[in-house]
Amino acid sequence: MDNEAFASFYSRSARPLWAYLARVSGDHALADDLMQESFVRFLCAANRPASEDGEVASRRYLFRIATNLLRDHWRRPLNVSIEEVPEEFFSAAANANHSDSQAILDPAMVHMRPRERQILWLAHAEGYSHKEIAEITGLASTSVRLLLFRARRKIAALLRNQGQTGTVQHAPSQQRSQP
Amino acid sequence: MTLRSCKHTPEIQAHLIAGDWPQASSAELQAHAAACRSCSDLILVTSRFQAAKAVTLPQVQLPPPGILWWRAQLRRRNVVEATISRPLLGAHIFALAICVTSIAALFFAQPDHGQQWMMWLLSLPQYLQPLQISRLFGFSTVSLTNLDLITLIPGIALLALLTGVILYLATEKQQR
């Protein structure tokens, strides 16, 4: 990929990638850093998809790099699995930087696990299929289907609750289950 | 919680991805979506995520792509340098070890010549005086038969060089 081809790919992929990182992490500064690092790693990667594979494959590969960077970031400070990162870890950052645009989704998103946020965003904002999400996240396709179904049901209940009360409260049936 | 998928979900999903829900859908499908929990969840969640994406995209201040391009080039160059310098360092150490071993072996294998060479080496400083340079290779004080020393030094140097090259090539092959 030469400089011009990269500039073209970057202009089409950078904003969706940043939106993914910002919404999943709840931290815009972190999203800035990880987005840049994702592109640098993408360019340095020897086994990235060739130009003949098309931009879709390249973009999927880019999201995979970003997902791995997010996972590494979450694992580093707490030294725990991504599944064990508490939802409250992200709440402070999200609340501190609250704005109208974030009010659309963030009050419900802070109650979701990081893995659930990733899968929900990839499926409903980016429109990826179960198979593509499995490729990006490294999960099995069947696991993605089940996780997505549960996460969608959970966030839908939170969004309905948010619509009724103006604030998000955990419904008894939607309490976070322990891993 | 059991996983029950509705048969209308793919159709609704296609409309949502295309961005033409509910305009392009039939009244029956809309009526079904209102009654079906799975489909209504899908519509609610997808519409919220699409709206969130739409307002998030303009928020970012993107750095110029050229900066990232050159950062990647720099990182790639550093990786290549590190890849090359690692086996070269090993080759240098190995070549030095071969040199030292060869010289020591020669000194021990040929004690008579070894003593002469040692004397010649010890008397080197006086040959290095400006006016006596020409005597350096005259070997007037040290009797070297068959010019052993003159062939020995380039021989060892060549051996060391070849060893380094072979070791480097072998390491390169392994890495591939």
PDB file of all heavy atoms in Angstrom, chain B residues 28 88 155 160 172:
ATOM      1  N   GLU B  28     -47.458  -5.242   7.047  1.00  0.00           N
ATOM      2  CA  GLU B  28     -47.480  -6.498   7.830  1.00  0.00           C
ATOM      3  C   GLU B  28     -46.199  -6.660   8.640  1.00  0.00           C
ATOM      4  O   GLU B  28     -46.231  -7.042   9.815  1.00  0.00           O
ATOM      5  CB  GLU B  28     -47.633  -7.699   6.887  1.00  0.00           C
ATOM      6  CG  GLU B  28     -48.997  -7.815   6.273  1.00  0.00           C
ATOM      7  CD  GLU B  28     -49.042  -8.892   5.197  1.00  0.00           C
ATOM      8  OE1 GLU B  28     -48.109  -9.731   5.143  1.00  0.00           O
ATOM      9  OE2 GLU B  28     -49.991  -8.884   4.406  1.00  0.00           O
ATOM     10  N   LEU B  88      24.240 -10.071  12.850  1.00  0.00           N
ATOM     11  CA  LEU B  88      25.577  -9.521  12.575  1.00  0.00           C
ATOM     12  C   LEU B  88      26.420  -9.489  13.844  1.00  0.00           C
ATOM     13  O   LEU B  88      27.620  -9.792  13.808  1.00  0.00           O
ATOM     14  CB  LEU B  88      25.459  -8.105  12.003  1.00  0.00           C
ATOM     15  CG  LEU B  88      25.303  -8.012  10.489  1.00  0.00           C
ATOM     16  CD1 LEU B  88      25.238  -6.558  10.062  1.00  0.00           C
ATOM     17  CD2 LEU B  88      26.467  -8.695   9.784  1.00  0.00           C
ATOM     18  N   GLY B 155      44.978 -14.794   5.745  1.00  0.00           N
ATOM     19  CA  GLY B 155      44.235 -16.054   5.821  1.00  0.00           C
ATOM     20  C   GLY B 155      43.230 -16.037   6.944  1.00  0.00           C
ATOM     21  O   GLY B 155      42.055 -16.407   6.766  1.00  0.00           O
ATOM     22  N   ALA B 160      37.718 -15.276   9.000  1.00  0.00           N
ATOM     23  CA  ALA B 160      36.772 -14.571   9.867  1.00  0.00           C
ATOM     24  C   ALA B 160      35.639 -13.968   9.049  1.00  0.00           C
ATOM     25  O   ALA B 160      34.459 -14.044   9.417  1.00  0.00           O
ATOM     26  CB  ALA B 160      37.502 -13.482  10.643  1.00  0.00           C
ATOM     27  N   GLU B 172      19.618 -15.683   8.440  1.00  0.00           N
ATOM     28  CA  GLU B 172      18.572 -15.136   7.579  1.00  0.00           C
ATOM     29  C   GLU B 172      17.617 -16.230   7.116  1.00  0.00           C
ATOM     30  O   GLU B 172      16.408 -16.085   7.121  1.00  0.00           O
ATOM     31  CB  GLU B 172      19.204 -14.470   6.346  1.00  0.00           C
ATOM     32  CG  GLU B 172      19.674 -13.070   6.590  1.00  0.00           C
ATOM     33  CD  GLU B 172      18.510 -12.111   6.707  1.00  0.00           C
ATOM     34  OE1 GLU B 172      17.911 -11.764   5.691  1.00  0.00           O
ATOM     35  OE2 GLU B 172      18.179 -11.712   7.841  1.00  0.00           O
TER      36      GLU B 172
END
